[in-house]
Amino acid sequence: MWKRALDRAGVGAPRLRRDYTEQRRAVRRFAPAEYAAARLLLPAGLLPHVVAAVAFMHETDDRIDRGAADERAAALAEWDALVRKAFAEGDSELPVLRCLTRTAERHPEVRGHVTDFLRGCAYEVAWRTIADDGELDRYVREYALPALMLTAGLLAPAAPSAREAFTAHCHVLIRAMQRLDFLEDLAEDVRAGRPGVPADAVARHGADLTRPGPELGRLVAEQADRAAADLVAAAPLVGVAAPAYRPFVRALTGVQRLRLDAVRRAGPALAARGSGPSAPRAAVLLLGETARARRGPRTG
């Protein structure tokens, strides 16, 4: 199946085929559920390019996520220069960038998404706290949405008006996803000194982010409700996507609902541990979408 995917993606050179295969192994290792969804629900010819985009995003995050703010900023500047050089020369010493440049040749819009993402990484490197929902939305607009569009942009409709609507719904979806990220990772983020739950909400509930308690429970419930509202508002994304991509988009949004359920169940316990979607329920969701896709195209 993978060799066929490489053929359909236009990846013919032996070195590039090895490069894409290396990125596939990496993505399967750090994002097994997401890879399984892409493998089962996306057209074969798109899979290697999605793999390349996800691998690049992960490599970027890994490079800029360690050390003090100035060290992270320096790592970003170095990485940005390597990416620019790869695009300018159409080649790189790094397999992840060789794949990225090849994917951008086949899908020219990727280059713009890469530029937006790297620009947003400066915001990701610099922030320490999220003051309120307005600042959360800025974080999403500056960083989280460009990160999502590295892959979602490959699924966007060609018509400008439909693409605009697609991106707008992606914005709402990633805002819900980011709010869930900050709740799931609350204990880890507090230890790192970078809690992402809006500070005004923490103060409003009088919550102690380091200890379970009723105040933290009310904070989590409020933030979960806001994520739920965004998931409802993002529902039209499935209908905007091209029919071939709708099973994958449905699975993606369905997994967010499972994440939301897990956050609600964890409640104040998020001060001590993370949470995530139920693996059995996620498997059922993925298998259901796979069966639905095999039955034939649907309209919603």
Side-chain angles (χ1 to χ4, degrees):
M1 188 271 187
W2 177 245
K3 291 181 179 179
R4 183 185 64 176
L6 290 173
D7 291 341
R8 293 188 177 181
V11 180
R15 186 179 74 159
L16 265 179
R17 290 173 78 90
R18 291 193 296 272
D19 291 341
Y20 273 92
T21 300
E22 180 180 333
Q23 305 318 304
R24 174 192 182 223
R25 292 192 191 103
V27 171
R28 287 177 67 182
R29 185 170 59 252
F30 67 75
E34 291 83 352
Y35 175 78
R39 183 179 68 82
L40 290 171
L41 298 174
L42 287 177
L46 193 64
L47 177 60
H49 299 303
V50 169
V51 163
V54 172
F56 167 72
M57 181 170 57
H58 179 75
E59 178 72 18
T60 303
D61 184 65
D62 190 54
R63 285 172 177 260
I64 70 173
D65 198 34
R66 295 188 297 269
D70 58 343
E71 294 173 314
R72 299 172 75 200
L76 175 58
E78 179 182 11
W79 182 235
D80 184 84
L82 287 172
V83 175
R84 290 177 184 273
K85 183 174 184 287
F87 276 129
E89 298 178 357
D91 200 2
S92 173
E93 295 179 359
L94 300 173
V96 66
L97 294 185
R98 288 199 293 268
C99 293
L100 182 69
T101 56
R102 176 56 175 168
T103 286
E105 289 174 6
R106 299 287 292 192
H107 298 272
E109 70 278 7
V110 166
R111 187 163 182 169
H113 293 310
V114 168
T115 298
D116 291 343
F117 171 63
L118 290 175
R119 185 185 303 117
C121 284
Y123 191 87
E124 159 64 12
V125 164
W127 77 275
R128 300 302 301 174
T129 59
I130 302 293
D132 51 29
D133 272 7
E135 194 165 297
L136 174 62
D137 196 57
R138 183 185 174 195
Y139 178 89
V140 168
R141 186 172 61 253
E142 296 283 345
Y143 174 69
L145 179 60
L148 176 64
M149 294 308 294
L150 286 171
T151 50
L154 292 165
L155 315 180
S161 60
R163 180 178 289 266
E164 183 177 345
F166 181 90
T167 302
H169 291 309
C170 282
H171 185 167
V172 178
L173 175 62
I174 193 60
R175 188 167 61 206
M177 292 170 67
Q178 188 61 62
R179 202 183 292 270
L180 291 172
D181 282 348
F182 284 146
L183 290 171
E184 289 174 337
D185 299 338
L186 179 63
E188 180 181 348
D189 290 347
V190 168
R191 288 194 297 270
R194 283 171 37 114
V197 176
D200 69 332
V202 177
R204 183 167 60 251
H205 291 282
D208 182 348
L209 299 183
T210 67
R211 294 193 310 172
E215 298 85 0
L216 181 57
R218 288 192 289 272
L219 171 66
V220 171
E222 175 197 83
Q223 295 297 303
D225 286 345
R226 295 187 181 187
D230 273 343
L231 289 179
V232 171
L237 178 64
V238 174
V240 177
Y245 304 147
R246 288 176 187 170
F248 178 79
V249 175
R250 275 195 300 266
L252 175 65
T253 55
V255 167
Q256 307 320 307
R257 290 190 289 272
L258 296 181
R259 294 176 66 202
L260 175 64
D261 292 344
V263 161
R264 290 194 190 280
R265 287 195 302 272
L270 291 169
R273 62 174 176 83
S275 74
S278 160
R281 292 179 67 190
V284 169
L285 173 69
L286 185 56
L287 291 173
E289 284 299 340
T290 302
R292 181 177 181 176
R294 288 174 177 170
R295 287 197 298 269
R298 301 282 294 271
T299 58

